Amino acid sequence: MINKTVKNAQEALQGVQDGMTFMLGGFGLCGIPENAIQELLRLGVKDLTCISNNAGVDDYGIGLLLQKRQVRKMIASYVGENAEFERQLLSGELDVELIPQGTLAERIRAGGAGIPAFFTPAGYGTEVGEGKESREFNGKMYLMEQWLKADFSFVKAWKGDTAGNLIYKGTARNFNPMMAAAGKITVAEVEELVPAGELDPNMIHTPGIYVQRIFQGEKYEKRIEQRTVRIA
Amino acid sequence: MGLDKNQIAKRIAKEVKNGMYVNLGIGIPTLVANYIPEGVEVVLQSENGLLGMGPFPTEDKVDADLINAGKQTITTLPGSSIFSSAESFGMIRGEHVDLTILGAMEVSEQGDIANWKIPGKMVKGMGGAMDLVASAKNIIVAMQHTARDGSSKLLKECTLPITGLKCIKKIVTDLAVLEVTSDGFKLLERAPGVTVEEIQKATEGRLIVEGDIPEVQL
């Protein structure tokens, strides 16, 4: 089996350059590639286009890259929890493209699956549809949306093997599987890296073909945005 | 006077039928889960990739890898399933989810909804709202009938940027329960103590009143 293992984040991010387009997995702070983000901070690459459902919070996740002004454009569906993001957007330092969440997920999926465009009803008749081709199917109007691809995709899984196969845990799956397939180079970081053969092939969520580099993250903070509990 | 947030949620819960798959938006819609009648089995969908959303965890069961679309920690239930965001919106777009309940800033008499953007204020994004309203088989809106200054939020035409066109079927406000028909807002029920005249005054769009309008039963 081809061995995709690299030593650490530093080795995994070799080739990352200014001006590149990245996809970063996660929903809010759940399932984000924490170690890759730390390495992007260390490298200080800038003028980045980041595709991610959200933009992190002020002091965590993609918010850290925003703080250091490394991001030129953000493509996301919801960016509500970040004051620095708001400041940069209003001052014109940061460009943002907001996309309906399902359309974002499907555009990424399409990028990985070789489908240049598709039609979706989401956003028809709204400003999302401005300048886009629309068409009627069975009496309903749909917008044409195009695939998204990235120079690098940074995804985070629970377990992975040396062949690049990935298993996610809970709702930390979210955008990670589609992004894994849509990156020219996909870097997977996992909580536990095991030899090929130890994961049940029936349980793999992302097949290793999509992953070029895999490493075990040094540490995971896994910050919680809204800690809601009930009394036992 | 009028229904409070919990009473709006309680009234909407009566629309939830046994066997439904339901997506609940953030705010009042989330409260609906607390009022689903005994014996009514429903499966809650969270669009970040979970069917069968359970209650908040006890302190010892909090898991950073298990959140809902509002980023709150939650639990799974026996029979739950977890999937990607693409799969999640596939089941929404494919009309497999029976009912969507969400909040709104404005609804028009044609059933257009505006709930994602106020020009001039910070734009946070539409999240999954545009996908949900474009594809849901049945959408119920929970909202306040009027703004703080008394101006109507049930309009002839939406003034705020649109989230989706001609998609809203039913509205439950603090003042009334209404159905969106091809002729306008049809008044179905009024909140206890609220008169038809008061609802008429609070509704800018066309209001259809036929016969006696019963009070909301909670």
Side-chain angles (χ1 to χ4, degrees):
Chain A
M1 202 58 69
I2 305 167
N3 192 335
K4 312 280 178 79
T5 313
V6 294
K7 229 174 27 232
N8 50 29
Q10 205 170 328
E11 198 177 319
L13 270 71
Q14 271 180 22
V16 163
Q17 288 170 16
D18 291 352
M20 279 186 163
T21 296
F22 298 155
M23 288 181 183
L24 298 101
F27 186 98
L29 300 178
C30 181
I32 61 172
E34 296 186 27
N35 291 273
I37 291 171
Q38 283 303 325
E39 179 60 12
L40 288 170
L41 285 167
R42 198 190 65 81
L43 289 169
V45 282
K46 52 186 191 304
D47 292 325
L48 305 174
T49 296
C50 290
I51 303 170
S52 187
N53 188 55
N54 312 92
V57 295
D58 274 320
D59 61 345
Y60 198 58
I62 294 174
L64 296 169
L65 298 173
L66 291 163
Q67 259 184 25
K68 281 186 68 185
R69 318 252 171 110
Q70 290 177 252
V71 185
R72 184 184 51 80
K73 183 174 184 183
M74 191 74 224
I75 299 175
S77 88
Y78 189 82
V79 293
E81 341 301 336
N82 195 318
E84 176 60 17
F85 182 98
E86 181 171 348
R87 193 197 63 73
Q88 289 184 20
L89 180 61
L90 296 174
S91 70
E93 291 165 63
L94 180 69
D95 191 11
V96 64
E97 185 181 343
L98 293 167
I99 298 177
Q101 199 170 117
T103 300
L104 179 63
E106 194 63 14
R107 286 178 68 182
I108 296 165
R109 198 193 74 79
I115 297 171
F118 58 92
F119 285 89
T120 177
Y124 176 78
T126 77
E127 57 189 63
V128 168
E130 285 168 15
K132 286 180 186 156
E133 185 181 333
S134 59
R135 202 184 287 184
E136 186 182 322
F137 296 94
N138 292 330
K140 184 168 171 170
M141 294 304 294
Y142 295 79
L143 285 180
M144 191 175 81
E145 294 283 2
Q146 296 185 36
W147 61 9
L148 286 170
K149 298 184 187 206
D151 296 308
F152 274 83
S153 280
F154 301 112
V155 303
K156 192 261 166 182
W158 178 43
K159 288 183 181 179
D161 68 18
T162 52
N165 296 304
L166 305 177
I167 296 175
Y168 307 96
K169 178 169 153 279
T171 54
R173 190 181 318 185
N174 54 64
F175 283 80
N176 284 298
M178 298 82 78
M179 288 182 171
K184 269 186 215 139
I185 297 174
T186 290
V187 172
E189 58 177 87
V190 297
E191 290 176 53
E192 190 185 347
L193 182 61
V194 299
E198 281 199 16
L199 300 178
D200 180 349
N202 291 296
M203 296 297 144
I204 301 298
H205 296 134
T206 291
I209 190 170
Y210 300 124
V211 174
Q212 279 68 46
R213 303 172 190 173
I214 187 166
F215 69 100
Q216 186 170 307
E218 205 172 301
K219 73 175 182 69
Y220 286 97
E221 181 184 337
K222 293 205 195 180
R223 197 184 288 188
I224 292 171
E225 268 180 87
Q226 306 277 342
R227 191 186 188 89
T228 43
V229 293
R230 74 189 142 105
I231 308 302
Chain B
M1 201 170 59
L3 304 178
D4 65 24
K5 285 179 182 182
N6 279 294
Q7 289 170 318
I8 292 174
K10 202 170 174 184
R11 174 59 189 82
I12 291 176
K14 289 170 71 176
E15 306 284 326
V16 178
K17 303 289 184 265
N18 199 41
M20 276 184 167
Y21 289 87
V22 183
N23 182 292
L24 301 177
I26 293 164
I28 299 176
T30 305
L31 299 172
V32 173
N34 301 336
Y35 298 105
I36 292 170
E38 196 90 8
V40 174
E41 284 283 340
V42 299
V43 178
L44 299 180
Q45 200 242 21
S46 190
E47 66 266 25
N48 56 323
L50 171 64
L51 270 175
M53 179 168 56
F56 295 152
T58 52
E59 190 63 55
D60 58 319
K61 293 274 175 8
V62 168
D63 180 355
D65 291 328
L66 199 54
I67 62 167
N68 64 17
K71 287 137 193 162
Q72 297 171 311
T73 47
I74 43 140
T75 53
T76 55
L77 295 169
S80 288
S81 55
I82 288 170
F83 34 83
S84 73
S85 299
E87 179 93 45
S88 182
F89 282 93
M91 66 183 69
I92 289 166
R93 226 182 281 111
E95 298 186 23
H96 303 282
V97 176
D98 299 297
L99 175 63
T100 290
I101 301 169
L102 42 74
M105 300 177 195
E106 294 177 349
V107 175
S108 82
E109 63 185 31
Q110 296 88 29
D112 303 345
I113 177 171
N115 72 348
W116 78 281
K117 182 178 183 180
I118 302 174
K121 287 204 179 165
M122 173 55 190
V123 180
K124 296 188 171 190
M126 64 293 279
M130 284 191 184
D131 310 271
L132 281 159
V133 301
S135 297
K137 276 187 278 190
N138 192 8
I139 306 175
I140 301 176
V141 162
M143 66 189 292
Q144 300 300 317
H145 211 104
T146 57
R148 283 205 189 105
D149 66 1
S151 62
S152 181
K153 295 179 163 196
L154 275 65
L155 306 169
K156 286 188 198 309
E157 299 279 350
C158 291
T159 63
L160 293 169
I162 293 289
T163 308
L165 297 174
K166 297 189 172 73
C167 52
I168 305 306
K169 308 277 194 295
K170 204 168 221 181
I171 306 164
V172 178
T173 76
D174 51 330
L175 302 183
V177 180
L178 310 105
E179 187 188 339
V180 179
T181 70
S182 51
D183 300 319
F185 299 112
K186 185 176 178 189
L187 184 58
L188 300 179
E189 298 168 24
R190 58 198 169 82
V194 175
T195 66
V196 170
E197 289 68 33
E198 283 165 323
I199 294 164
Q200 180 71 71
K201 236 173 93 181
T203 308
E204 188 223 77
R206 180 150 189 250
L207 188 74
I208 302 158
V209 183
E210 284 171 3
D212 279 343
I213 305 299
E215 283 192 354
V216 173
Q217 302 294 315
L218 292 172

